[in-house]
Amino acid sequence: RARDMGFDVDAYHGTDADILRFDPSKEFRGAGVSVAFDPINAAGYGSTVMPLKVKSADLFNITRNKDVKKLVDAVKSYHADNLKKSAYADDGQQNFYPYSLDQVLNGIKAGKSNFLELPEVTDILKKLGFKGHIGREGPFSQAKIFDPQNIRSRFAKFDPAKADSADLLA
C-alpha cells in the first residue's frame, strides 16, 4: 500500500524528540523536514533514528542536470523581476542576502545543497512544483521534504483515506 500511495523511498530522521507528526517550523535550517537516506547519517542528528517512507515524486535533485537548469533559469528570472520592483539596484544581495546572485547560481551549479535552503530558493522550488529537494551533506544524500504529508513512519497503516494527513502513522 505504501508504494501505491507514492511512499517509495526509505529514509531516516534523527531526533531527540518524541514525534507523531512533523512540524516544519521546528527545523533549524531551511523550510521543510530533513531526512537522511542513510541511518548512520541520521544518527548524527539525535539519539533516536526514525525509519520512514517518503514520496520521491517531484523532489528536486541537485545531481540531476535538468532540475539544476530549471532552477538556475527560475532564480535568474526571480532576480530580474525583483530588481525591476526595487527602488534601488545592487549586486543581487537584496534577493539572496548574504549571497550575490552569482554566488547562488554558481553554488547551485556546483551541487552545493546549502543554497537550496535559502528562503528565496525554497520559494522558487515550491513555485516550480517541487515537493522538496535532494542534496548532499558531505558523503551523504539528504532531503528536505516541504510538506509532512509526504512522510510516513515505515510502520504506518498507509490508509488511503488519510492520504492528506501529516500523521506519521496514518
Side-chain angles (χ1 to χ4, degrees):
R1 275 199 303 200
R3 188 168 296 283
D4 289 344
M5 291 178 63
F7 295 94
D8 58 341
V9 173
D10 291 338
Y12 306 87
H13 182 80
T15 184
D16 290 322
D18 188 15
I19 300 173
L20 295 177
R21 81 180 40 206
F22 286 109
D23 180 353
S25 71
K26 300 212 187 241
E27 285 290 316
F28 70 93
R29 198 177 72 202
V33 176
S34 296
V35 298
F37 296 114
D38 185 298
I40 293 169
N41 181 220
Y45 295 93
S47 59
T48 300
V49 174
M50 300 171 63
L52 306 169
K53 291 294 243 183
V54 298
K55 292 181 178 181
S56 68
D58 302 320
L59 292 180
F60 172 88
N61 189 328
I62 201 153
T63 66
R64 200 166 35 218
N65 289 336
K66 71 176 184 160
D67 286 1
V68 170
K69 180 177 179 353
K70 190 174 188 177
L71 179 58
V72 163
D73 291 345
V75 166
K76 287 178 184 176
S77 177
Y78 168 86
H79 176 71
D81 288 347
N82 280 339
L83 280 181
K84 290 177 194 170
K85 296 174 190 170
S86 175
Y88 64 94
D90 65 9
D91 66 357
Q93 286 186 310
Q94 72 197 42
N95 290 329
F96 306 105
Y97 185 81
Y99 302 104
S100 70
L101 173 64
D102 286 340
Q103 287 173 310
V104 172
L105 294 174
N106 290 333
I108 292 168
K109 290 176 189 174
K112 295 183 178 178
S113 301
N114 60 308
F115 288 98
L116 301 178
E117 294 176 340
L118 292 170
E120 301 83 2
V121 176
T122 295
D123 289 344
I124 292 167
L125 286 168
K126 288 177 180 179
K127 286 178 185 163
L128 291 172
F130 290 106
K131 307 290 187 208
H133 55 77
I134 298 172
R136 305 279 304 165
E137 178 122 345
F140 298 105
S141 289
Q142 296 180 342
K144 191 70 89 161
I145 309 297
F146 298 144
D147 189 335
Q149 75 181 25
N150 295 318
I151 307 168
R152 291 286 189 278
S153 165
R154 217 171 284 160
F155 308 108
K157 294 179 182 176
F158 295 99
D159 182 353
K162 295 182 179 178
D164 294 334
S165 174
D167 184 335
L168 285 170
L169 295 173

